[in-house]
Amino acid sequence: MIPFIDLQAQRLRLGGKIEAAVAEAVVGGAWVMGPQVRQFETDLAAFGQAKHALGCANGTDALALPLMAWGIGRGDAVFVPSFTFAATAEVVPWFDAEPVFVDVDEKTYNMSPAALEAAIDGVKAEGRLVPRVVIAVDLFGQPADYPAIKAICDKHGLKLISDSAQGFGCTVDGAHPLKWADVTTTSFFPAKPLGCYGDGGAVLTDDDELAQLMDSIRVHGKAVAVDLKDRTFDHDPKYLNMRIGLNSRLDTIQAAVLIEKLKVFGQEIEWRNAAAARYNEGLRPHVSAVPDVPAGNVSNWAQYTIEHPDRDGLAAHLRAQDIPTAVYYPIPLHLQPAYEHYPRGAGGLPVTERLKDVVISLPMHADLDEATQHRIVTAVAAYKG
Ligand SMILES: *Cc1c(COP(=O)(O)O)cnc(C)c1O
């Protein structure tokens, strides 16, 4: 079987650097939030054009940190796409707030600004919930339409989170989503474009106070500088608990892995773009749609996803030739048992409900070579359904 995401090829390409970094972290002995975590946070902030980057336990907690810092709770509406991984919406009911599901754009699969506007107007007209936050997702690696979404957030006084768990490293006209968002969140789950060797996540922000609050919340609500400015505490401020927090730290070993992987991440995004261009060229005549990346956007190609009228037949045909595929996402969140009772934007989610039956993702990773791609393209082209 061809690998769907070949992380062993990446490990071998890095020639023992990761193993050496892990061994050094083990010997160093500061296994949680050690010096490699600080180093990685500095490197990550520089890469992401952010003032602050903070590691945390995973990409789900990364979404919870700003919601907690802003005091999101009962009666609050958080606008999210339904065509995304569950974590995007899951964190909202943690705090008794409600996710409001918004449809996506036909071409980019990302939150539709028009559908967002309609959803906000609907929530306001109903009057039951107060609009507070928008979580835009960079689905499959492509940036959401941040200029349009940010304008809507400003008009309605809403905070904006960019859930870049898949899209970290993507840009709009050369700028990372944080140019528009209050905070960018990401995941270092191994299969994500920038993955570690276990679970990990991070938040990035230019907002000094938000950074401090999230730093506090990730360590059980410990006291941070803003808390101590008008009071004294003679002991370690981590034992002065100012607010309810989490245990959401990044492991030192994971930071050590990530320091090495971040060094080559920019190059890998270029390789992924080259692979995507080869796929587009070979597949365009044979499928209903190849991915559409508007001018000015750079995707990191977390997934390479096409549309095909007989997606399941194509998957079986490819599997018989040892070519794996995946379907993201066969059941959008607003149709899931855990989420179906939450509100939907005005007009429903017709695009999301169409996409769920036609999308299929092909192998994609930085080490995907031309010969393997040729084999995949030829196999797709040969499928006559
Ligand atoms: C993976 C993912 C997350 C959650 O990340 P974890 O590290 O697995 O908790 C959140 N949002 C999106 C869009 C994701 O793809």
Side-chain angles (χ1 to χ4, degrees), residues 58-60 63 84-85 87-88 137 163 165-166 187 189 192 200 329:
N58 54 67
T60 307
L63 288 161
T84 178
F85 183 63
T88 307
V137 175
D163 177 352
Q166 298 178 20
S187 163
F189 182 76
K192 309 283 179 175
Y329 292 93

Side-chain angles (χ1 to χ4, degrees), residues 5 7 10 59 85 87 163-167 186-196 200 261 265 268 272 300 302-303 329:
I5 298 178
L7 293 170
Q10 180 198 49
F85 183 63
D163 177 352
S164 235
Q166 298 178 20
T186 193
S187 163
F188 305 125
F189 182 76
K192 309 283 179 175
L194 180 60
C196 60
K261 290 187 55 165
F265 188 48
E268 289 188 348
R272 287 167 171 273
N300 70 13
Q303 302 295 340
Y329 292 93

Side-chain angles (χ1 to χ4, degrees), residues 122-384:
V123 165
K124 284 189 162 170
E126 193 197 25
R128 190 176 62 83
L129 299 172
V130 179
R132 295 287 305 276
V133 178
V134 173
I135 306 181
V137 175
D138 303 322
L139 197 77
F140 303 154
Q142 160 140 244
D145 187 352
Y146 287 104
I149 291 172
K150 171 64 170 162
I152 295 169
C153 289
D154 284 347
K155 179 171 150 200
H156 295 277
L158 309 181
K159 297 286 191 191
L160 176 58
I161 297 175
S162 104
D163 177 352
S164 235
Q166 298 178 20
F168 186 72
C170 72
T171 51
V172 179
D173 295 330
H176 290 255
L178 190 62
K179 177 174 174 190
W180 297 272
D182 295 285
V183 55
T184 290
T185 67
T186 193
S187 163
F188 305 125
F189 182 76
K192 309 283 179 175
L194 180 60
C196 60
Y197 283 11
D199 277 305
V203 288
L204 295 89
T205 185
D206 290 334
D207 178 333
D208 298 337
E209 179 160 354
L210 177 63
Q212 285 198 38
L213 292 179
M214 295 191 296
D215 183 29
S216 166
I217 292 165
R218 73 174 165 163
V219 187
H220 307 287
K222 71 174 181 184
V224 288
V226 277
D227 299 315
L228 291 169
K229 72 176 187 306
D230 297 319
R231 67 189 299 162
T232 52
F233 184 67
D234 294 334
H235 303 273
D236 186 337
K238 81 180 175 203
Y239 298 113
L240 177 60
N241 304 103
M242 300 301 296
R243 55 191 62 80
I244 300 297
L246 302 169
N247 169 10
S248 190
R249 299 168 300 220
L250 183 65
D251 286 344
T252 306
I253 288 172
Q254 301 307 341
V257 169
L258 287 161
I259 288 169
E260 293 307 317
K261 290 187 55 165
L262 186 60
K263 288 178 189 163
V264 296
F265 188 48
Q267 172 71 67
E268 289 188 348
I269 292 175
E270 285 177 26
W271 288 338
R272 287 167 171 273
N273 272 280
R278 292 195 294 264
Y279 263 151
N280 280 351
E281 164 131 8
L283 290 170
R284 194 173 276 114
H286 305 290
V287 301
S288 313
V290 295
D292 191 316
V293 179
N297 281 7
V298 175
S299 175
N300 70 13
W301 299 100
Q303 302 295 340
Y304 182 85
T305 304
I306 57 173
E307 295 176 31
H308 195 283
D310 181 20
R311 172 271 301 280
D312 298 331
L314 176 64
H317 165 83
L318 295 177
R319 175 151 292 271
Q321 296 173 62
D322 286 338
I323 299 170
T325 59
V327 171
Y328 306 109
Y329 292 93
I331 308 181
L333 296 182
H334 71 287
L335 303 178
Q336 295 276 3
Y339 297 96
E340 61 193 358
H341 60 287
Y342 288 114
R344 301 164 188 191
L349 292 94
V351 177
T352 298
E353 288 173 19
R354 182 186 77 76
L355 291 173
K356 75 177 172 45
D357 296 323
V358 296
V359 289
I360 179 167
S361 302
L362 302 177
M364 171 55 85
H365 50 90
D367 295 273
L368 187 58
D369 61 82
E370 285 185 52
T372 306
Q373 275 192 293
H374 182 71
R375 200 178 131 198
I376 296 167
V377 168
T378 306
V380 172
Y383 182 60
K384 297 301 173 213

